[in-house]
Amino acid sequence: MQTELSKRLGVEHAVFGFTPFPAVAAAISRAGGFGVLGAVRYTAPDDLRRDLDWIEAHVGDRPYGLDVVMPAKKVEGVSETDVEAMIPEGHRQFVRDTLAGHGVPELAEGEASGWRITGWMEQVARTQLDVAFDYPVKLLANALGSPPADVVARAHDRDVLVAALAGSARHARKHQEAGIDVVVAQGYEAGGHTGDIATMVLTPEIVDAVDPLPVLAAGGIGSGQQVAAALALGAQGVWLGSVWLTTTEADLHAPALTRKLLAAGSGDTVRSRALTGKPARQLRTEWTDAWDDPAGPGTLPMPLQGLLVAEAVSRIQKYEVEPLLGTPVGQIVGRMNSERSVQAVFDDLTRGFERAVDRINRIAGRSAR
């Protein structure tokens, strides 16, 4: 599963694996793919440094990258406290009532509320980059449009490729104009923030729009046959995120959540603003239903929604309140029906890819006679 891009980065398979877990990122790279660590949850530079140190110690000489969430336009003088003050009291009460209705316990006194979605903030993202550029990362991906021009230049000065996600050909062309090296065509089926266009339609549109830039296909991909299809559509690789959630190296800290993922079908996800304020595909739960109910207050725009629900999500996860328990995940969740190692996932991907290529070769051979 090699392409010009994978050869340029020195990886065996053109499989780029996004994950919030350092152990998964390192395992993806060791298996011959390209592991990409999601940085948005790191609000303390020392925590990111600790996990990049761990990856360095466990990845061998294999390449890896980092994914940040950084707005292209800088907003000056806005602190997290300023943003918190914008959250209406009615929305706070809705959160309290929803949690109380499901008997979700409070956190212990003095206990931190866990991950807060602040990685979108300019100053936080830049501290992540200050740390990352001390390490031999080979690719910097941005999930929120093109990063600022000075960040692109800083990466290029270090021979780091810059990738950006796009949900339309128009977005992809803007990335190209901004000097991006790789465009990730993220289809409607994907987990997390997505647009409205399906991967099968989106991938060739973006390939044509930004030629000759390399494109990675993302969304609904979890088998070798789908990897072959992505390459046939003109992509130079695939960007996979959801499939790693049920690997043995992943650390969800919630056995109940793993059980829900393994039991879910491809129709058990929903695009909801409940988590961040932007449409993000995730498991459908009573939590997403509450926020999507027209009788409720509705979600707030990003980043207000993420800050509003941060403690609630931490409580739901800590106490594993199954009716409310969810996570961003794509429609490929219907194929994620067993816990496997990252290497086992790669073994299945390569076998499926070979079968698909053999099938196409047979078809082409018959049609040529």
Side-chain angles (χ1 to χ4, degrees):
M1 298 191 290
Q2 279 204 333
T3 64
E4 182 180 340
L5 178 60
S6 66
K7 292 176 183 177
R8 179 179 178 182
L9 287 168
V11 296
E12 183 180 355
H13 304 302
V15 175
F16 293 72
F18 164 80
T19 175
F21 306 117
V24 176
I28 290 168
S29 291
R30 289 198 307 270
F34 190 94
V36 181
L37 179 67
V40 70
R41 67 191 179 95
Y42 293 98
T43 56
D46 287 346
D47 290 343
L48 178 58
R49 192 177 300 279
R50 176 202 64 214
D51 283 355
L52 289 176
D53 283 341
W54 191 95
I55 290 176
E56 280 288 299
H58 291 84
V59 80
D61 59 352
R62 304 298 180 92
Y64 63 92
L66 192 76
D67 178 278
V68 298
V69 179
M70 192 173 200
K73 295 182 179 180
K74 186 173 183 177
V75 179
E76 299 280 4
V78 178
S79 69
E80 183 178 338
T81 302
D82 295 331
V83 176
E84 286 267 16
M86 302 177 189
I87 298 174
E89 176 57 30
H91 282 73
R92 296 186 187 277
Q93 187 61 49
F94 181 76
V95 171
R96 290 191 288 267
D97 291 344
T98 303
L99 295 179
H102 287 83
V104 182
E106 298 277 356
L107 295 175
E109 185 175 352
E111 183 177 356
S113 63
W115 173 51
R116 293 174 65 79
I117 304 173
T118 55
W120 59 272
M121 297 179 72
E122 176 82 8
Q123 62 269 32
V124 175
R126 287 187 178 275
T127 60
Q128 293 168 352
L129 295 177
D130 289 340
V131 171
F133 286 139
D134 286 339
Y135 293 81
V137 296
K138 298 299 182 184
L139 180 139
L140 173 68
N142 192 45
L144 200 63
S146 304
D150 69 294
V151 171
V152 176
R154 189 178 175 190
H156 288 167
D157 286 345
R158 291 164 172 76
D159 294 323
V160 176
L161 296 182
V162 180
L165 277 65
S168 71
R170 178 173 61 86
H171 293 155
R173 282 189 287 267
K174 288 184 176 180
H175 293 335
Q176 187 177 36
E177 293 167 1
I180 300 303
D181 305 293
V182 181
V183 177
V184 181
Q186 180 166 311
Y188 173 80
E189 305 95 322
H193 298 122
T194 70
D196 299 311
I197 306 172
T199 305
M200 180 66 75
V201 175
L202 181 66
T203 301
E205 283 187 356
I206 288 184
V207 168
D208 291 344
V210 301
D211 183 59
L213 283 188
V215 173
L216 301 177
I221 301 172
S223 71
Q225 293 92 324
Q226 291 167 315
V227 176
L231 300 190
L233 293 172
Q236 287 202 29
V238 293
W239 178 274
L240 308 184
S242 297
V243 293
W244 315 114
L245 290 173
T246 53
T247 57
T248 53
E249 292 89 346
D251 190 6
L252 290 177
H253 299 294
L257 180 55
T258 299
R259 291 195 299 270
K260 290 187 74 170
L261 288 168
L262 295 175
S266 56
D268 292 328
T269 68
V270 63
R271 253 171 106 243
S272 172
R273 298 176 185 268
L275 186 60
T276 69
K278 284 184 176 291
R281 186 170 298 285
Q282 54 203 281
L283 279 180
R284 181 176 181 178
T285 66
E286 293 186 25
W287 178 255
T288 62
D289 286 348
W291 283 105
D292 295 337
D293 188 339
T299 56
L300 297 171
M302 189 180 195
L304 301 181
Q305 182 71 16
L307 292 172
L308 169 66
V309 305
E311 180 178 330
V313 171
S314 294
R315 289 165 58 186
I316 292 165
Q317 291 176 344
K318 175 179 179 177
Y319 299 111
E320 298 191 70
V321 184
E322 292 204 32
L324 303 178
L325 188 62
T327 186
V329 69
Q331 291 180 332
I332 197 63
V333 70
R335 293 183 64 96
M336 295 158 48
N337 49 26
S338 65
E339 289 189 77
R340 299 177 294 166
S341 68
V342 168
Q343 183 61 61
V345 172
F346 267 89
D347 291 343
D348 284 348
L349 289 173
T350 53
R351 284 193 295 265
F353 180 82
E354 291 168 357
R355 287 195 300 269
V357 171
D358 288 344
R359 186 182 306 120
I360 295 300
N361 285 338
R362 290 196 301 272
I363 293 170
R366 286 196 297 272
S367 62
R369 286 197 293 270

